[in-house]
Amino acid sequence: MTVSISTVHVLVNDPDAAVSFYRDTLGLTVQNEVAREGFRWIVLSTPNQPEIQIVLSQPQAGRSKEDGEAIAALLAKGELGGINFSTEDLDATFEKAAAAPGVEVLQEPVSQPWGVRDAALRDPAGNTVRIQQA
């Protein structure tokens, strides 16, 4: 039996800001966009792994008002899970990402004791994004 990753969900409070970051800054490609009941979700993929979908959606989409508000509060605090990417040029990717609107730098590129060289930042919604040298 073989299991593969097919979809990763990333919650965002502002879909336009998120698309700008993930598409325009990191170079992902928009595969699909759906609007329903006043909310949107956007499906993106990386050029090197088009079979893995990254779905940007809003905390309130498909949830009760209370649950949506609770998740939105965690998102605002940066307490939700993150997403990790790899790149052939960490320094150039980091510089471009760090200069994007609404991005907060958490860690500049550094060689980690466990062997990878990586950097960390928060996307415009507050999600942790780690980028490592491929």
Side-chain angles (χ1 to χ4, degrees):
M1 176 172 70
T2 301
V3 177
S4 301
I5 293 174
S6 65
T7 307
V8 176
H9 289 266
V10 177
L11 294 172
V12 299
N13 53 358
D14 181 344
D16 293 324
V19 167
S20 178
F21 176 72
Y22 287 98
R23 181 193 62 205
D24 303 337
T25 303
L26 294 184
L28 278 64
T29 304
V30 174
Q31 301 295 324
N32 194 14
E33 185 170 340
V34 179
R36 183 173 178 213
E37 298 178 7
F39 298 102
R40 296 170 40 207
W41 71 87
I42 300 100
V43 179
L44 302 108
S45 65
T46 66
N48 292 339
Q49 296 173 304
E51 72 280 6
I52 299 176
Q53 298 180 331
I54 298 169
V55 179
L56 306 176
S57 63
Q58 295 160 279
Q60 300 84 355
R63 296 179 179 84
S64 70
K65 182 178 183 196
E66 296 79 18
D67 287 349
E69 288 174 357
I71 293 170
L74 290 171
L75 178 61
K77 291 172 36 176
E79 293 297 325
L80 296 181
I83 187 166
N84 294 29
F85 292 99
S86 62
T87 182
E88 292 178 1
D89 189 342
L90 175 60
D91 294 314
T93 302
F94 174 78
E95 284 194 29
K96 186 173 182 182
V103 168
E104 174 189 355
V105 172
L106 299 176
Q107 171 204 302
E108 295 196 13
V110 64
S111 294
Q112 300 290 0
W114 51 89
V116 301
R117 183 168 182 267
D118 72 354
L121 44 87
R122 291 198 194 281
D123 71 8
N127 295 297
T128 300
V129 175
R130 295 197 74 86
I131 306 169
Q132 73 178 30
Q133 180 72 44

